[in-house]
Amino acid sequence: MHRLLIKHARQVVTVCKNGETLLKGAAMNDVCVLNGPVSVVINCDGHIGYIGEDTEVSQKFEEKEFERIVDATDCCLIPGLVDGHTHPVFAGDRVHEFAMKLAGASYMDVHKAGGGIHFTVDHVHRATEDELLTNLKEILRRMLQAGTTLLEAKSGYGLDTENEIKMLKVLERAKKEGPVEISSTYCGAHAVPCGLTAAEATSDIINKQLPSLKSLLSSGELHVDNIDVFCEKGVFELADTEKILKAGKEIGLEINFHAEELNQLNSVELGVSLGARAASHLEEISDKGIEMMGASSTVGVVLPTTAYILKLKPPPVRKMIEHGCAVALGSDFNPNAFCLSMPLVMHLACVTFGMTMNEALVASTINAAASIGRSHSHGSLEVGKVADMLILDCPRWEHLIYQFGGHDHVIKHVIKKGRVV
Ligand code: NIG
Ligand code: FE
């Protein structure tokens, strides 16, 4: 028996064709598309078993061997989308700050006035684990509807041991419930807590938060993949960032951090030299940083919603691609940038960052999966990979990006691990 047969697809965008786990530079524009009619066989373990022309598949498999058959006539298939950067665990909203920003306040004006991240921290401190989980589940449900089947998700609105662990436990519970898969990131260094200096906060993270996290990781109570720091002038600057990232690495976390968003601190150079898996934002990345990133496997995760909402100069994505960088995309979903739709993020990436639609797709599939160490199993449609895919009701897959804000009409089915969800 097999779990699912998807037949008669007009286009199957496999993205990769030879098991590549990262597409760098010019290779990002080279997306593999199989023109139909094509069928996809999904095994009972939720992995892709076979992809081939309809005639070939009907010779090899009998329809009665399948638990379910989906007719994808006139539809296109693409991999499930991977969101490379989110802050989805929080309580409350910041709609009032949106009004302040529209009236001219900058992100740092709001932050320094005790709003921004601090406002959300207050709400998260007051919320129970169950309340945070209820909020998160609704967000994940909406993300899945918008095509996201795997995401990176951070803590970072706790800022002390108890509340950071509370957030990570919420992520852990959401992972167990599924179906969306999550790579968790500890982001205790998201802001300096009110009343502490950056040095005091750094010491709390290294001497209290990380040791507590380490024991929960060893007991198997938590599974956390990455460590993040908001490396920014007036937040955690370069020296503190280095100490925290190194301490995280020592307990087995991968470096995946906020770099060069508002001011150039040469944090990409630091990240690459520490072997970071990913660095996000990059509006202010230096030429040296681009060169080092291009020569490394550190993924540059760019976040069009943030640059858009804060009216920031876009990151130099074209230059990064020309220099061989691997670029990924993230929604940066958070109470400041309340957008959880990767199709809209891809659209913004094309229009505001000058990416091609192929590059935006690669950045939202295989490269975003690479930024969280999952590209051996996720991010492309190839035999043996997890069967996460979207069936799009449109004549060419690019409609998902072109029809901006219209993904609910374009995405006909989301398939997670071989099940229509
Ligand atoms: O990636 N820059 C820092 N962190 C988030 C914003 C989080 C917030 O404002 O709540 C970001 O944009
Ligand atoms: Fe962020």
Side-chain angles (χ1 to χ4, degrees):
M1 257 337 247
H2 300 281
R3 183 173 286 174
L4 181 67
L5 171 67
I6 302 169
K7 61 179 187 180
H8 307 327
R10 173 183 202 128
Q11 272 190 327
V12 174
V13 185
T14 66
V15 175
C16 302
K17 50 181 170 294
N18 297 312
E20 300 89 343
T21 50
L22 185 67
L23 294 178
K24 296 181 69 181
M28 287 184 65
N29 203 31
D30 191 16
V31 161
C32 176
V33 180
L34 306 176
N35 286 310
V38 173
S39 295
V40 178
V41 171
I42 297 165
N43 295 336
C44 286
D45 63 2
H47 289 70
I48 298 172
Y50 198 85
I51 303 178
E53 284 177 11
D54 271 9
T55 44
E56 191 190 326
V57 172
S58 58
Q59 277 163 13
K60 283 193 190 300
F61 301 89
E62 282 189 60
E63 295 206 348
K64 62 175 195 261
E65 293 172 38
F66 292 89
E67 281 170 26
R68 182 166 176 182
I69 296 174
V70 172
D71 186 335
T73 303
D74 293 333
C75 293
C76 302
L77 255 67
I78 65 168
L81 302 175
V82 182
D83 188 337
H85 182 132
T86 77
H87 304 250
V89 185
F90 59 84
D93 61 54
R94 304 219 300 263
V95 68
H96 61 288
E97 288 181 6
F98 182 50
M100 286 165 73
K101 284 177 292 212
L102 291 178
S106 74
Y107 183 75
M108 278 322 232
D109 291 339
V110 176
H111 185 77
K112 283 186 185 138
I117 294 175
H118 297 299
F119 181 91
T120 305
V121 168
D122 281 347
H123 281 73
V124 167
H125 281 196
R126 280 188 262 122
T128 63
E129 212 179 285
D130 285 346
E131 284 163 352
L132 292 172
L133 182 65
T134 303
N135 293 349
L136 174 62
K137 279 165 62 179
E138 174 58 12
I139 295 301
L140 294 174
R141 187 190 66 75
R142 288 170 62 183
M143 285 180 165
L144 189 65
Q145 259 182 359
T148 298
T149 48
L150 166 65
L151 68 143
E152 183 273 356
K154 304 171 196 299
S155 65
Y157 296 117
L159 309 185
D160 60 28
T161 307
E162 180 193 340
N163 287 289
E164 283 297 311
I165 302 281
K166 177 169 82 179
M167 293 185 72
L168 292 168
K169 283 189 174 160
V170 170
L171 287 169
E172 196 70 30
R173 285 171 67 185
K175 276 190 234 181
K176 290 208 175 96
E177 290 192 22
V180 179
E181 279 180 86
I182 299 174
S183 172
S184 303
T185 301
Y186 161 70
C187 185
H190 195 200
V192 176
C194 297
L196 295 190
T197 62
E200 288 165 343
T202 302
S203 148
D204 186 68
I205 288 165
I206 294 175
N207 301 314
K208 293 201 184 125
Q209 297 185 33
L210 281 172
S212 304
L213 179 56
K214 185 180 172 192
S215 60
L216 292 168
L217 296 177
S218 328
S219 68
E221 214 176 308
L222 281 182
H223 298 88
V224 178
D225 300 316
N226 320 293
I227 179 149
D228 191 352
V229 173
F230 182 20
C231 181
E232 185 56 66
K233 196 167 157 201
V235 191
F236 293 92
E237 300 200 6
L238 211 59
D240 289 329
T241 300
E242 179 169 4
K243 286 184 204 153
I244 298 167
L245 294 178
K246 279 183 169 163
K249 220 177 156 181
E250 266 164 34
I251 69 161
L253 302 176
E254 296 287 342
I255 297 174
N256 185 326
F257 74 122
H258 289 69
E260 315 286 39
E261 177 182 355
L262 306 171
N263 294 280
Q264 191 176 99
L265 301 181
N266 300 324
S267 49
V268 167
E269 289 85 325
L270 172 70
V272 172
S273 65
L274 293 177
R277 205 175 243 172
S280 294
H281 282 291
L282 313 176
E283 285 81 356
E284 301 293 336
I285 188 172
S286 71
D287 286 349
K288 175 91 190 300
I290 293 178
E291 224 173 83
M292 285 179 69
M293 186 176 263
S296 74
S297 56
T298 302
V299 179
V301 184
V302 293
L303 310 170
T305 63
T306 324
Y308 163 78
I309 207 159
L310 298 178
K311 302 190 174 101
L312 305 177
K313 173 186 92 182
V317 175
R318 289 262 47 93
K319 200 169 183 181
M320 289 168 62
I321 292 175
E322 273 160 31
H323 284 77
C325 296
V327 175
L329 282 165
S331 66
D332 198 15
F333 174 74
N334 74 70
N336 172 56
F338 205 105
C339 171
L340 46 71
S341 158
M342 285 302 288
L344 184 56
V345 167
M346 291 157 83
H347 178 89
L348 288 173
C350 293
V351 175
T352 63
F353 292 179
M355 292 174 79
T356 65
M357 289 190 276
N358 280 351
E359 288 167 349
L361 183 65
V362 164
S364 307
T365 53
I366 194 73
N367 281 4
S371 74
I372 47 176
R374 304 280 181 103
S375 55
H376 53 285
S377 51
H378 296 73
S380 65
L381 299 182
E382 290 175 286
V383 170
K385 281 198 148 178
V386 175
D388 288 356
M389 57 190 88
L390 311 182
I391 301 184
L392 308 179
D393 187 3
C394 49
R396 296 168 59 107
W397 74 267
E398 290 96 330
H399 277 261
L400 185 66
I401 300 181
Y402 159 70
Q403 295 191 29
F404 64 113
H407 65 73
D408 35 350
H409 297 290
V410 177
I411 300 176
K412 188 173 182 190
H413 294 298
V414 178
I415 293 171
K416 177 67 207 165
K417 225 173 170 191
R419 292 194 198 284
V420 180
V421 288

